[in-house]
């Protein structure tokens, strides 16, 4: 659908381009403008300027420039209409009503996002404060995950015992909505029970940093070791990469991505200074994930586990990357080591 100029101007007037760009780029005052390193190409000397008065940006190195909509289009790799919805959601500007079915889906998505954020905050508080999470805190300490890294990735703990369900119910969310988010399962008798129980929680976030799914690691040797959210209205496994929201700018700056298999294989290298790392949410890399990564770089280093499953996944990934024109390299670690254990 089209949006008239009045709506676009309302959105522009509802936010500062400095605040918007500053969420992606470290800016400093430079005369009447703000300057920083361009997020769209690699540079050592700042040539990227943002004008608060004119509400525009311009890079004198690569030539990128425009208003808030253009910046969001480039930085998030989305179209013009998507950039309008993105900024309207950020500023609280109400867009004209769409068709009934589209409007219902948008309302459902908004409600699901609220539930997932509430769940993520609950898991995070449990990890930090709950006596039930003592073993989880000791486990993370043993894996040498710093508190700052835990905060960076919003790690949490799912205590079980129906605590999450009761918390979400107290916040006014309906049981069927929580079920649709993949946070609970429905038993044969119609009762609902929590999907994640007594697990360390890894929130999976979209490019805007909003929680769309979770991964849970069991404490000890239970099966399955890792449990993931199912597909939902917010989450498609084959269209997302873990930690891309936190690392995509460094991937763009380095013109290279390091692709790993699991959550800890991503979190630990990040902590060690490898800020251009992402995980494929399992060993079955998809063409959609490769295409998503291609928005930021055309060079990738694959470092999957050295076991037979990891090696098979590595070989499959080579074809997927070559099909989309990537320069792909493979890191082969010693037998029995993964990126996590190798670095530690």
């Amino acid at each position: 659908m089209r949006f008239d100029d009045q709506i676009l101007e309302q959105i522009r007037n509802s936010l500062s381009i400095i605040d918007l760009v500053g969420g992606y780029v470290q800016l400093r005052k430079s005369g009447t403008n703000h300057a920083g390193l361009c997020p769209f190409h690699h540079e050592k000397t700042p040539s990227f300027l943002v004008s608060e008065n004119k509400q525009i940006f311009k890079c004198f190195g690569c030539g990128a420039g425009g208003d808030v909509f253009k910046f969001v289009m480039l930085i998030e790799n989305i179209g013009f209409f998507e950039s309008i919805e993105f900024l309207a959601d950020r500023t609280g500007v109400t867009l004209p009503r769409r068709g009934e079915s589209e409007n219902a889906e948008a309302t459902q998505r908004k409600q699901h996002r609220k539930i997932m954020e509430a769940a993520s905050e609950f898991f995070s508080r449990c990890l930090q404060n709950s006596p039930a999470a003592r073993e989880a805190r000791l486990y993370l300490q043993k894996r040498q995950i710093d508190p700052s890294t835990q905060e960076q990735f919003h790690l949490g703990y799912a205590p079980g015992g129906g605590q999450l369900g009761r918390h979400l119910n107290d916040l006014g969310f309906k049981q069927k909505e929580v079920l649709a988010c993949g946070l609970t399962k429905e038993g044969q008798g119609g009762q609902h029970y929590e999907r994640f129980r007594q697990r360390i929680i890894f929130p999976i976030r979209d490019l805007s940093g909003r929680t769309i799914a979770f991964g849970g690691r069991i404490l000890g040797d239970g099966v399955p070791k890792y449990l993931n959210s199912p597909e939902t209205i917010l989450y498609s496994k084959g269209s997302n990469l873990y930690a891309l929201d936190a690392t995509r700018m460094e991937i763009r700056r380095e013109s290279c991505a390091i692709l790993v298999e699991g959550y800890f294989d991503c979190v630990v290298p990040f902590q060690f200074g490898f800020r251009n790392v992402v995980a494929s949410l399992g060993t079955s890399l998809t063409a959609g994930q490769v295409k998503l990564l291609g928005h930021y770089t055309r060079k990738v280093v694959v470092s999957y586990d050295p076991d037979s499953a990891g090696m098979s996944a590595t070989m499959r990934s080579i074809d997927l990357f070559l099909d989309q024109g990537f320069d792909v390299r493979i890191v082969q670690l010693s037998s029995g080591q993964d990126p996590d254990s190798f670095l530690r």
Side-chain angles (χ1 to χ4, degrees):
M1 67 178 298
R2 295 195 62 197
F3 298 99
D4 60 33
D5 292 341
Q6 184 177 358
I7 289 291
L8 302 185
E9 194 62 26
Q10 184 181 358
I11 293 173
R12 288 192 189 96
N13 293 335
S14 298
L15 82 165
S16 165
I17 193 171
I18 300 299
D19 292 338
L20 174 66
V21 176
Y24 300 88
V25 180
Q26 186 173 356
L27 298 173
R28 60 175 177 79
K29 187 74 172 173
S30 177
T32 59
N33 298 317
H34 286 72
L37 295 175
C38 179
F40 307 120
H41 80 287
H42 183 74
E43 63 178 10
K44 295 182 179 179
T45 303
S47 61
F48 180 85
L49 295 180
V50 183
S51 170
E52 187 166 21
N53 292 334
K54 297 179 181 179
Q55 288 284 289
I56 60 172
F57 71 96
K58 176 67 176 179
C59 176
F60 293 91
C62 68
D67 61 4
V68 289
F69 299 106
K70 186 64 176 181
F71 181 81
V72 169
M73 290 170 63
L74 292 174
I75 204 75
E76 298 288 351
N77 290 290
I78 58 179
F80 178 58
F81 294 117
E82 291 173 299
S83 75
I84 296 173
E85 293 179 333
F86 179 96
L87 290 175
D89 182 59
R90 177 183 174 122
T91 58
V93 173
T94 302
L95 297 177
R97 290 179 62 86
R98 295 171 285 187
E100 186 174 340
S101 61
E102 290 181 302
N103 202 58
E105 181 177 334
T107 300
Q108 187 180 22
R109 284 179 177 274
K110 187 174 182 179
Q111 185 73 347
H112 282 204
R113 288 194 182 103
K114 290 180 180 179
I115 293 171
M116 296 301 282
E117 286 301 328
S120 182
E121 291 174 6
F122 172 81
F123 290 143
S124 179
R125 287 197 303 271
C126 283
L127 178 62
Q128 296 170 19
N129 304 317
S130 174
R134 181 177 180 275
E135 185 180 353
R137 290 191 289 269
L138 291 174
Y139 179 84
L140 290 172
Q141 184 178 353
K142 180 181 177 182
R143 297 290 291 259
Q144 300 177 27
I145 309 299
D146 296 339
S148 61
T149 303
Q150 296 177 34
E151 183 178 354
Q152 173 87 35
F153 287 90
H154 307 276
L155 302 191
Y157 177 73
Q163 293 185 47
L164 173 64
R166 290 193 294 272
H167 174 71
L168 294 177
N169 182 68
D170 289 343
L171 292 177
F173 297 117
K174 298 178 181 178
Q175 198 173 57
K176 65 178 182 179
E177 295 173 332
V178 177
L179 177 66
C181 287
L183 293 171
T184 58
K185 291 182 174 181
E186 188 171 6
Q188 292 183 348
Q191 75 279 16
H192 290 205
Y193 60 95
E194 293 168 358
R195 181 178 299 273
F196 301 102
R197 302 185 299 277
Q198 298 175 335
R199 290 177 179 268
I200 293 174
I201 296 296
F202 297 83
I204 301 167
R205 307 169 87 81
D206 64 16
L207 293 179
S208 299
R210 299 176 296 194
T211 302
I212 56 175
F214 295 104
R217 208 278 188 199
I218 198 168
L219 296 172
D221 300 321
V223 177
K225 181 188 292 185
Y226 285 95
L227 186 65
N228 298 305
S229 290
E231 302 259 324
T232 68
I233 192 173
L234 296 180
Y235 177 61
S236 172
K237 176 183 175 181
S239 302
N240 292 276
L241 290 164
Y242 178 68
L244 186 60
D245 64 299
T247 65
R248 69 189 190 280
M249 300 312 300
E250 189 65 22
I251 289 172
R252 195 194 295 272
R253 280 191 288 266
E254 293 289 336
S255 297
C256 179
I258 302 170
L259 178 68
V260 297
E261 183 177 328
Y263 301 111
F264 279 115
D265 291 332
C266 185
V267 171
V268 171
F270 186 94
Q271 182 173 289
F272 272 78
F274 295 91
R275 300 300 171 93
N276 58 331
V277 60
V278 292
S280 54
L281 296 168
T283 56
S284 299
L285 186 72
T286 68
Q289 290 172 317
V290 173
K291 183 178 180 180
L292 176 62
L293 197 57
H295 292 155
Y296 304 95
T297 183
R298 286 289 166 178
K299 183 175 182 180
V300 64
V301 176
V302 179
S303 184
Y304 280 169
D305 290 354
D307 56 20
S308 58
M311 291 306 298
S312 296
T314 299
M315 298 307 295
R316 289 195 300 272
S317 75
I318 292 175
D319 289 334
L320 286 172
F321 281 117
L322 292 180
D323 285 346
Q324 296 195 32
F326 274 73
D327 175 356
V328 56
R329 310 297 174 92
I330 308 300
V331 171
Q332 186 173 1
L333 299 177
S334 302
S335 178
Q337 288 193 318
D338 54 28
D340 168 24
S341 61
F342 173 80
L343 286 172
R344 287 189 294 114

